[in-house]
Structure formats: structure tokens, C-alpha cells
Amino acid sequence: MRKYLISLFTLMLTAGYIVAQDKPAEKKDSAAAPAYIGIKKCSICHKGEAKGNVHEKWLATEHANAYKVLVDKKDGSEKKAECLECHTTGFNKGGYVLDAANAAEFEGIQCEACHGPGSDFRPLHNKDIEAAKKVGFIPKPTEEKCVECHNKKSPTFKGFKYEEFHKKIDHRYRQAEKKG
Ligand code: HEC
Ligand code: HEC
Ligand code: HEC
Ligand code: HEC
């Protein structure tokens, strides 16, 4: 009798196991777009003299101020999608969402506006650049990235010259590559 009970128990366990296996596996959304994580999570490593003062250099550019100029207009521009799309980071693409509780984390033109949304590449990019690129990392943004915002849709547009404009935002510190 005891033996019978044990095998019945085993059978039930096995059946339970099979049922569990048959359940459609929790759909792991590996194809989901990477999310924006905000500048604090980049600058934690990319600040200070030893790290090339990247954060400090960024802070001195107009990109750091790009949300504030909307507020300063005092005409509600900071509530308009047609302004926010170029004056915030990841607007409606997983970054800035108007009136969201965490909206302030994505004000202005931050690292991720040029280097790509960081959720997936951040743990990879300092170890394996190729793998990081596959999940949205842009190690060397080019003119193509800039003109997503620097174009005629901007009400203040007066033209864009990559060389000239890049000089004003340059935060390269690894000398050997600077020449390349
Ligand atoms: C845990 C620390 C850490 C965090 C957080 C971090 N980085 Fe980095 N990142 C590094 C290190 C280390 C390197 C290699 C830098 C070097 O060799 O001087 C690097 C390199 C880079 C490079 C240059 C890649 C290349 O080799 O051409 C870029 C661009 C970059 N990071 C952007 C970002 C962005 C954007 C974020 C936020 C989404 C971020 N990093 C967050 C540590 C970090
Ligand atoms: C297509 C992207 C884009 C859109 C849309 C956009 N801007 Fe801008 N904005 C820029 C860029 C790029 C600059 C830097 C100067 C330039 O080249 O236009 C800028 C600069 C500014 C400046 C500061 C510089 C100056 O000359 O006054 C203000 C203020 C401004 N924009 C307000 C607005 C307002 C208000 C709206 C919405 C009605 C808006 N922008 C929509 C991209 C954009
Ligand atoms: C307006 C676009 C833009 C923004 C914003 C921006 N970067 Fe960059 N970043 C670039 C470009 C362009 C390069 C140079 C690519 C090349 O080598 O041609 C670069 C290069 C780098 C490098 C490599 C430096 C080196 O010496 O090779 C690091 C690290 C980096 N950025 C990190 C950051 C971090 C961290 C932030 C935010 C604090 C940031 N970037 C914001 C466009 C941007
Ligand atoms: C997501 C939108 C966006 C991207 C991408 C972007 N910018 Fe900008 N940029 C702006 C806005 C908005 C301003 C105006 C900010 C302000 O006036 O406060 C600006 C201002 C500037 C300025 C100052 C303009 C001036 O008249 O002096 C420079 C220089 C600049 N950007 C260079 C670049 C370069 C180089 C790239 C590409 C590597 C780039 N930007 C990518 C939105 C963007």
C-alpha cells in the first residue's frame, strides 16, 4: 500500500511537472526596445578628472540647458510636444513623458540622446562594445544623429555644420583616438 502511495505521489509530481512545462513560458520580451535610464546613471562613472570630466563638459554645453530654455519662454512651451521632442531625452520613446512622475530625469539633451538608450548596453559597453552596439549603444555618434534635432523643424534653425558644432560639445579625452 505504501509503495502504491509513493508511486501515485511520484506520478502526480510528474504530471504536475509536465503541466507546468506545457504552460506557455512567460513571454520574455527580449525584443522590447531598450529603455532610457537618465544621466545620473551614466555620470556616476563618467565624471571627474580621471574620467575625462565628461559630465562636467556636458554640463557646460547648451544641451544641459535645453529644457530650461522652454520654461524660460514663460509661454507654456515646456508642455508642448512639438517643442519637447527635441528639447528632452527619449521623448515618447521610453524617456521623457509629459507629466510622468519621473519626467525631470529626462530633461535636456543628455548622454542617451546621442549614445542611445542605456538600459541594455550599460552593463556591457565597457566590456564588449560590439555586444553593446547590438542593444542600442552608439559609441561614436555622427552628424546623422545630430540632424535628428538640428534641422529646419527647429523654429530657431540657422544651419548646422558638424565640425563647428562638434567642437562646442567635444568631450573626448582619450588622446590617441582624437586624431582619428
Ligand atoms: C559602471 C560604470 C559605467 C557606467 C554606469 C556607464 N559607463 Fe560608459 N564607460 C565606462 C567605462 C569604464 C568605459 C571605458 C572608458 C575608458 O576606457 O576610458 C566607458 C565607455 C563609454 C563610452 C565610450 C565607448 C568607446 O569606447 O568608444 C561611451 C560613449 C559611454 N561609456 C557612454 C555611457 C553612457 C551613455 C552611460 C549611461 C547610459 C554610461 N556610459 C554608463 C563605465 C561606465
Ligand atoms: C526639430 C527639433 C526642434 C524642435 C521641434 C524645437 N526645437 Fe528648439 N532648438 C532646437 C535646436 C537644434 C536648437 C539649437 C539652435 C538651432 O539650431 O535651432 C534649439 C534652440 C531653441 C532655443 C534656444 C536658442 C534660441 O535661439 O533662442 C529655444 C528658446 C527653443 N529652441 C525653443 C523651442 C520651442 C518653443 C519649440 C516649440 C515651438 C522648439 N524649440 C522646437 C531643436 C528643436
Ligand atoms: C550631443 C550628443 C552627445 C551627448 C549629449 C553626449 N555625447 Fe558623448 N560623444 C558624442 C560624440 C559625437 C562623441 C565623439 C565620437 C567620435 O569619437 O567621433 C562622444 C564621445 C564620448 C565618449 C568617448 C570619449 C573618448 O575620449 O573617446 C564618452 C565616454 C562619452 N561620449 C560619454 C558621454 C556621456 C557620459 C555623456 C553624458 C554626460 C555624453 N557622452 C553626452 C556625442 C554626445
Ligand atoms: C535630441 C535633440 C538633439 C540632438 C540629438 C543634438 N542636439 Fe544639439 N541642441 C539641441 C537643442 C534643443 C539645443 C538648444 C539648447 C539650448 O539652447 O539651450 C542644441 C544646441 C546645440 C549647440 C549650441 C548651439 C549654438 O548655437 O551654439 C551645439 C554646438 C550643438 N547642439 C551640437 C550638437 C551636435 C554636434 C550634435 C550631434 C553630435 C547634437 N547637437 C545633437 C538638440 C539636440
Side-chain angles (χ1 to χ4, degrees):
M1 179 63 181
R2 184 150 174 236
K3 201 169 172 198
Y4 170 76
L5 275 179
I6 289 172
S7 38
L8 185 68
F9 184 62
T10 315
L11 189 74
M12 279 161 64
L13 272 183
T14 315
Y17 179 74
I18 290 167
V19 170
Q21 288 295 296
D22 267 3
K23 249 200 330 208
E26 189 98 349
K27 212 172 159 246
K28 197 177 173 283
D29 213 350
S30 55
Y36 290 80
I37 59 178
I39 186 166
K40 279 191 198 152
K41 293 189 176 133
C42 306
S43 295
I44 192 169
C45 294
H46 289 284
K47 66 177 178 204
E49 189 68 41
K51 305 283 174 155
N53 286 325
V54 172
H55 176 79
E56 291 80 352
K57 284 182 194 161
W58 171 83
L59 206 55
T61 67
E62 298 195 12
H63 286 149
N65 214 28
Y67 177 79
K68 193 170 169 289
V69 294
L70 297 182
V71 177
D72 287 349
K73 281 185 68 91
K74 296 191 178 5
D75 62 357
S77 293
E78 78 279 11
K79 294 282 178 199
K80 294 180 189 150
E82 73 261 33
C83 308
L84 291 165
E85 60 174 300
C86 297
H87 284 257
T88 61
T89 298
F91 180 71
N92 283 354
K93 289 184 292 187
Y96 192 97
V97 176
L98 186 59
D99 294 332
N102 64 345
E105 289 172 30
F106 304 107
E107 289 170 359
I109 311 304
Q110 309 180 358
C111 324
E112 294 172 288
C114 294
H115 292 290
S119 65
D120 295 4
F121 80 66
R122 187 177 60 123
L124 288 173
H125 78 292
N126 51 352
K127 302 180 194 107
D128 184 346
I129 290 215
E130 291 311 313
K133 278 183 181 168
K134 289 192 185 117
V135 291
F137 187 40
I138 306 172
K140 294 184 193 301
T142 59
E143 175 162 8
E144 203 185 319
K145 183 42 93 180
C146 315
V147 300
E148 283 177 16
C149 301
H150 288 270
N151 62 53
K152 283 184 192 150
K153 267 183 78 190
S154 163
T156 54
F157 188 65
K158 291 180 208 75
F160 181 82
K161 291 200 187 85
Y162 184 77
E163 295 299 327
E164 198 181 295
F165 276 63
H166 183 248
K167 257 186 215 141
K168 296 190 193 168
I169 65 135
D170 197 352
H171 44 272
R172 288 173 298 177
Y173 58 97
R174 292 178 297 184
Q175 293 303 321
E177 282 176 4
K178 257 194 173 179
K179 297 181 186 102

